[in-house]
Amino acid sequence: MTKVKSLTAVCGAILAAVMLVGCVGSATEESTGNYIDDSAVTARVKSALLTEKSLKSSAISVETFKGRVQLSGFLSSTAEVNKAVSVTKAVKGVKTVANDLIVK
């Protein structure tokens, strides 16, 4: 009976280790925790852009990967692009901003 308990304990430990490894990220993939953090940063950036009345925020796409926020879309002026970047940089959790906004 003790061999069965030992085997069960070993199998449980192996299963736990495999599950934990599945949550670890890499250079090109996010861990589960990073994904949740980046989702929160994206939501905060979108909210900040929406509250900025001088911006057409519906034209701005926001994506976040490991704290790096990418802004893309089309805006009417360079001033709007600069404002979107500055608003984004001020958001908690933003490490860097990749400005892919285009003036049309």
Side-chain angles (χ1 to χ4, degrees), residues 45-52 55 57 60 62 71 84 87-88:
V45 169
K46 286 181 178 182
S47 177
L49 292 172
L50 279 171
T51 59
E52 188 59 46
L55 291 174
S57 56
I60 302 172
V62 179
L71 301 177
V87 167
T88 301

Side-chain angles (χ1 to χ4, degrees), residues 39-104:
S39 296
V41 170
T42 298
R44 286 194 295 268
V45 169
K46 286 181 178 182
S47 177
L49 292 172
L50 279 171
T51 59
E52 188 59 46
K53 301 297 181 198
S54 64
L55 291 174
K56 186 177 177 187
S57 56
S58 62
I60 302 172
S61 175
V62 179
E63 292 185 33
T64 307
F65 182 74
K66 294 186 177 184
R68 179 185 178 270
V69 177
Q70 179 181 9
L71 301 177
S72 59
F74 297 93
L75 294 176
S76 301
S77 69
T78 303
E80 282 185 288
V81 170
N82 293 337
K83 185 66 172 178
V85 171
S86 68
V87 167
T88 301
K89 285 181 177 178
V91 173
K92 180 184 172 201
V94 174
K95 293 179 182 173
T96 60
V97 178
N99 177 9
D100 292 330
L101 294 166
I102 298 170
V103 177
K104 63 174 181 177

Side-chain angles (χ1 to χ4, degrees), residues 1-17:
M1 196 63 157
T2 56
K3 286 185 179 186
V4 172
K5 287 183 180 179
S6 296
L7 183 60
T8 303
V10 168
C11 289
I14 291 171
L15 180 62

